[in-house]
Each structure stands twice: as structure tokens, then as C-alpha cells.
Amino acid sequence: KVRVQDGGNGTTTRVSLPNGRALEVKIPPGIEDGQVLRLRGKGNPGVQGGPDGDALITVTVQPDATYTRDGVDLRETLPVDIKTAVLGGPIMVPTPTGTVRMNVPANSDSGTVLRLRGKGVQAYGKREAGNLYVTLQVKIGKADTALETFLRDWTPQA
């Protein structure tokens, strides 16, 4: 079983085979749920002195608490405070390969989707890296008296 994040980046995991052997298996980046890996010569012994068979391992990709996968792209929802949403500014975004700084445009609203190019599923073989799409979720938090006073006196313009 592999998490979405590990499936996106690739990983190494320990697998116990039915014959009792344990192997370290490299999981390539971008592996899909249900995909089968063939481990040549790691299966049961061959018949009448023939070569050992292949072990076939079915991969189960488990959901991740932070990311959802959409092909080679990843998606996450990130809270942003009201000041940053209205005025714009930098936020720190966790990605599978580490935290990066991203600028939020002024007047962003909940549901605004921003893209981090190449921060999704890692490149593998001829396949290019995917993107990470960040959906902003405006969080107001505890309002202070100045904000409450402003909102009481404020009339939104149409």
C-alpha cells in the first residue's frame, strides 16, 4: 500500500511474499492504484530446475490527507487569512517535495485555484511532471473589535 504522496514521488517499500521472502521494492513515481509490478526471478522456484518465476505485486494507492490525485496533477485546499485574500501577498504552500512560497493575487476569494507548475506527480521516463493546484479557502478567524466596527459601518458597493 502506497500513499498518494508516495505514489506521486515514488518510494521504496518492504514487501513480504507468500513464500516468506521479504523484498525492498522500488515504487516508480506516478504509479496508479491497481497497477501490477513484475519482479523478475523473485517468485517461486522453477519446475524441474528451471529459473525462478516472477513475483507480481498489485499496488494499492491509499488516499492522502493533504493531496488528491487527478492523473499526474495533485490538488490541495489551503486556508488563507482574510487580509492576504483581500490585499494579496505570499503564503507558504506544502508540496510533496517541500514547502514553497506562492503569491496570492489581491481580491482572491474562497474557491480560487492557483497552479504550481511541476509540483504534482514527479516526472518519470518520458512523462513530464504534473502540476499542483491549490484551492484557496478564506478563513476569517477571530475578528478583533476594529474589524467588527469597520464591518458594522461598511456598505458593500455593487
Side-chain angles (χ1 to χ4, degrees):
K1 293 184 178 176
V2 180
R3 294 178 309 167
V4 169
Q5 186 173 349
D6 293 335
N9 290 333
T11 188
T12 301
T13 189
R14 190 162 191 78
V15 175
S16 296
L17 300 177
N19 63 10
R21 291 175 38 186
L23 300 171
E24 291 290 318
V25 178
K26 281 186 150 184
I27 306 294
I31 192 129
E32 300 284 341
D33 189 51
Q35 198 168 342
V36 176
L37 295 177
R38 171 186 260 157
L39 306 176
R40 294 189 190 275
K42 302 297 183 184
N44 290 328
V47 179
Q48 298 180 353
D52 290 349
D54 298 341
L56 300 177
I57 298 170
T58 302
V59 176
T60 302
V61 179
Q62 296 178 323
D64 186 88
T66 305
Y67 308 103
T68 55
R69 191 157 157 198
D70 184 9
V72 294
D73 296 327
L74 297 177
R75 297 184 180 280
E76 75 175 300
T77 300
L78 199 63
V80 62
D81 62 79
I82 191 167
K83 180 178 179 180
T84 305
V86 172
L87 302 176
I91 59 171
M92 300 308 287
V93 179
T95 74
T97 56
T99 302
V100 298
R101 181 182 168 134
M102 178 174 71
N103 282 321
V104 174
N107 301 313
S108 293
D109 202 353
S110 281
T112 299
V113 179
L114 304 174
R115 179 181 67 186
L116 288 171
R117 189 182 305 268
K119 294 296 182 182
V121 174
Q122 286 185 352
Y124 183 71
K126 294 181 180 179
R127 187 192 67 228
E128 293 183 16
N131 299 315
L132 174 62
Y133 292 94
V134 179
T135 302
L136 301 179
Q137 184 177 36
V138 178
K139 294 286 188 174
I140 296 172
K142 181 87 171 121
D144 63 9
T145 49
L147 179 58
E148 289 174 357
T149 303
F150 168 77
L151 290 173
R152 275 191 204 101
D153 298 335
W154 178 59
T155 305
Q157 295 179 9

